[in-house]
Amino acid sequence: MRDIVDRRPNLVFSVLAGYFLLCIMLRLAASPSLEIDEAEQAFLSQFLQLGYGPQPPFYNWLQYGLAQLIGTSLATMTILKNGLLFLCCLFYGLAAQLVLKDRRLSAIAMLGVLSLPPVFLLAQRDLSHTVAALFAVSLFLYGFLRTLTRPSLFSYFLAGAAVGIGVISKYNFVLVPIAAIVAVLPEPELRKRIFDWRILAAIGVAGVVALPHGLWVLQNLDAASSGTLNEMKERAAEGRLMQALHGVFALASAIIGGSLVTLLVFGLVFRGKIRTIWQAESQWTRIIGRMIAICLLGVLLVVLGVAATHVREKWLVLFLVLLPLYLCLKIEAAAIDPAPGFRRFVPLVACIVLGALVIVSARAVVRPWFGDYSKLNIPYAAFVEAVVEAEGRPPALVLTNDRQVAGNIRTRLADATVVIPHLSDVPLANAAKRPLLVVWRDEANPSPLLPANLKEALQSSGVPGSAATPRRLEVPYVYASGPDRYGFNYIWVGE
């Protein structure tokens, strides 16, 4: 195994590329319907804006650019997500090679990223902005470590660009470069890299990348911050002390949940040497260890500052992704031969990630066996095909009051404009386009009553009440078990 890695150091990158290619293929085969984040991206990929609400726009911009090149489809979104995950692992591995002497340890560090639950499970189920932020963290880590080990103007530029990308990917990314700077200050040999004049170039590049969205944030501060802050406050009615206790407990639970699998994998692979690894130390273990601690301390301060009582694992993965590199640095500092561990590590991680991938991919097929349907089973494609066949042509404009519906229909009608009336960040454009398809759903009340916001949008677009006759169409679920069907309410307005 060592000979293979030494002779073909890029083999592990090829294996990773094959894994993410498999992820793409299985997602495309699983179902044509979209998950929540996928549907949102499909809908928003119609518009190029400086901001889209509570999430930064980098992932949306990439999705928009890809949609302009090859169109909006499930394939477009799946390729972007898995492409970013591959680049995350790629730059992580390159960063590990800068500070780890043994190629096997750098390969373990890179594959260790896949052992994080938000990467091998949540990302394959439904993530978007977090995936972009993971890519930014790995790119920054590579630029940062390259600046410390092989300083050049390019390395500072790269680190600065990564900071800018990270800030417009996820707002909590800002903790990573701050933690990196603070972590280096106690190291006399490396401290001078922070006070190098070239860091001004890095700051300038980061500012240029983040400035357009930064201006939008200043004008839309509530829209940019309210979503996540409200999600973090699940127990707003409690006293301040109880909120703090619940927040600390939620943070501790998220840290354990986000890192436990990785710690168990490393513990099993290097069993019997845990104490030696724990006691080992080097300059690089101190720096990466401080980065992790400072980032988590920053999250704790935020939790206490905003009285948060809910912390999700995916919010912490930007910081916990440093854990595999930290553990590999500890192993190297302990002067442990990584060859036996490498032989055990690769198949163990492969079993975890492939097992999770099979489960995630098979759920759309298996759950209907028990009469349980998910978003992947809602038959948007069959509905669109039935309406187009009945009317003899596709619509030019689609109105709906649901992002899930909007995104799914967008992937089936690439030439149509899909809009949601009164959505603050997306205007109602081309209201006069015809044919017009109005779609809504009400799972609690199957009667085809037109929602008030859609009725107002129809009136404003000049559609007479006599032309707005609601219809209902029921089509079988994707992988339906028996006669189960899903109902859509719609209105068709011709020329």
Side-chain angles (χ1 to χ4, degrees):
M1 185 68 71
R2 177 177 180 177
D3 292 339
I4 294 176
V5 175
D6 289 341
R7 288 198 316 266
R8 301 178 60 190
N10 294 326
L11 177 62
V12 68
F13 295 110
S14 301
V15 171
L16 275 173
Y19 165 71
F20 288 115
L21 180 60
L22 178 62
C23 292
I24 293 172
M25 295 170 61
L26 289 179
R27 176 61 189 96
L28 295 179
S31 170
S33 299
L34 307 180
E35 288 283 8
I36 295 176
D37 280 11
E38 292 172 337
E40 181 178 59
Q41 290 304 315
F43 169 61
L44 293 178
S45 66
Q46 302 174 96
F47 314 101
L48 182 60
Q49 299 180 331
L50 293 180
Y52 295 86
Q55 294 289 357
F58 180 66
Y59 196 94
N60 300 97
W61 290 348
L62 293 178
Q63 195 72 75
Y64 174 84
L66 202 57
Q68 294 301 304
L69 288 175
I70 60 177
T72 301
S73 66
L74 175 60
T76 305
M77 290 171 289
T78 306
I79 289 170
L80 176 60
K81 179 171 68 175
N82 286 281
L84 285 175
L85 286 172
F86 172 71
L87 290 176
C88 167
C89 294
L90 172 64
F91 283 107
Y92 196 95
L94 294 176
Q97 290 180 3
L98 293 173
V99 292
L100 288 166
K101 298 176 181 177
D102 194 295
R103 287 288 182 89
R104 292 161 299 183
L105 279 176
S106 63
I108 289 175
M110 180 169 58
L111 294 174
V113 173
L114 298 181
S115 68
L116 296 164
V119 176
F120 75 77
L121 181 60
L122 299 184
Q124 292 306 325
R125 191 169 63 189
D126 193 30
L127 283 183
S128 54
H129 299 282
T130 300
V131 171
L134 280 170
F135 158 71
V137 170
S138 293
L139 183 63
F140 170 75
L141 187 64
Y142 175 65
F144 171 66
L145 294 179
R146 182 165 173 167
T147 297
L148 297 180
T149 57
R150 307 171 189 172
S152 66
L153 186 58
F154 172 76
S155 66
Y156 280 91
F157 271 122
L158 184 62
V163 171
I165 291 172
V167 169
I168 61 175
S169 296
K170 270 287 191 183
Y171 295 128
N172 60 340
F173 170 89
V174 72
L175 288 174
V176 177
I178 293 174
I181 292 173
V182 176
V184 170
L185 292 179
E187 303 295 331
E189 297 179 8
L190 300 176
R191 188 186 305 148
K192 58 185 179 182
R193 307 297 185 212
I194 304 300
F195 299 101
D196 192 300
W197 69 267
R198 289 171 291 189
I199 200 170
L200 297 176
I203 295 173
V205 171
V208 169
V209 174
L211 180 60
H213 179 62
L215 295 175
W216 181 90
V217 170
L218 292 177
Q219 299 172 356
N220 302 270
L221 191 58
D222 289 342
S225 61
S226 59
T228 301
L229 292 179
N230 291 336
E231 190 175 353
M232 294 176 72
K233 297 179 181 180
E234 286 190 336
R235 303 171 183 266
E238 294 183 345
R240 188 73 180 186
L241 178 59
M242 290 303 298
Q243 285 180 334
L245 291 176
H246 279 115
V248 171
F249 178 77
L251 175 59
S253 300
I255 292 173
I256 294 172
S259 61
L260 184 59
V261 174
T262 302
L263 292 172
L264 287 176
V265 169
F266 275 87
L268 289 172
V269 168
F270 294 97
R271 57 186 179 274
K273 300 177 182 178
I274 296 177
R275 175 174 293 186
T276 303
I277 295 172
W278 174 260
Q279 295 173 344
E281 184 182 284
S282 68
Q283 183 182 59
W284 295 114
T285 64
R286 293 194 298 269
I287 291 174
I288 302 300
R290 288 181 197 131
M291 286 181 64
I292 298 173
I294 293 168
C295 286
L296 295 179
L297 177 61
V299 176
L300 176 61
L301 294 177
V302 171
V303 167
L304 296 177
V306 303
T309 58
H310 178 60
V311 180
R312 303 176 69 177
E313 293 175 13
K314 68 176 185 177
W315 297 341
L316 303 182
V317 71
L318 306 190
F319 320 126
L320 296 179
V321 74
L322 300 172
L323 184 59
L325 177 59
Y326 173 72
L327 295 174
C328 287
L329 289 168
K330 296 279 282 186
I331 293 168
E332 186 167 83
I336 293 174
D337 180 13
F342 183 79
R343 298 188 194 101
R344 293 191 290 264
F345 190 88
V346 173
L348 182 57
V349 170
C351 288
I352 292 173
V353 299
L354 293 178
L357 182 60
V358 169
I359 292 172
V360 169
S361 302
R363 62 202 162 110
V365 179
V366 174
R367 288 177 62 174
W369 297 351
F370 307 95
D372 183 19
Y373 298 99
S374 69
K375 290 179 175 58
L376 296 180
N377 299 112
I378 298 177
Y380 298 100
F383 165 74
V384 172
E385 290 171 3
V387 171
V388 171
E389 182 178 357
E391 302 297 337
R393 53 181 171 166
L397 175 66
V398 178
L399 294 182
T400 182
N401 60 349
D402 188 305
R403 288 199 184 202
Q404 193 73 21
V405 174
N408 276 276
I409 289 183
R410 174 62 181 168
T411 62
R412 314 311 303 183
L413 299 171
D415 296 328
T417 302
V418 182
V419 295
I420 300 177
H422 309 301
L423 192 63
S424 60
D425 54 351
V426 177
L428 178 57
N430 302 316
K433 280 187 174 183
R434 298 292 183 272
L436 167 64
L437 173 64
V438 185
V439 186
W440 71 99
R441 59 179 183 174
D442 188 350
E443 297 174 359
N445 180 16
S447 61
L449 297 177
L450 183 64
N453 59 344
L454 293 181
K455 180 182 294 185
E456 183 179 340
L458 280 175
Q459 292 173 350
S460 64
S461 63
V463 177
S466 59
T469 304
R471 312 180 199 177
R472 183 169 178 82
L473 178 63
E474 295 187 351
V475 290
Y477 282 95
V478 178
Y479 305 116
S481 177
D484 295 340
R485 304 173 79 83
Y486 188 90
F488 292 90
N489 302 317
Y490 76 99
I491 294 172
W492 179 273
V493 181
E495 298 293 344

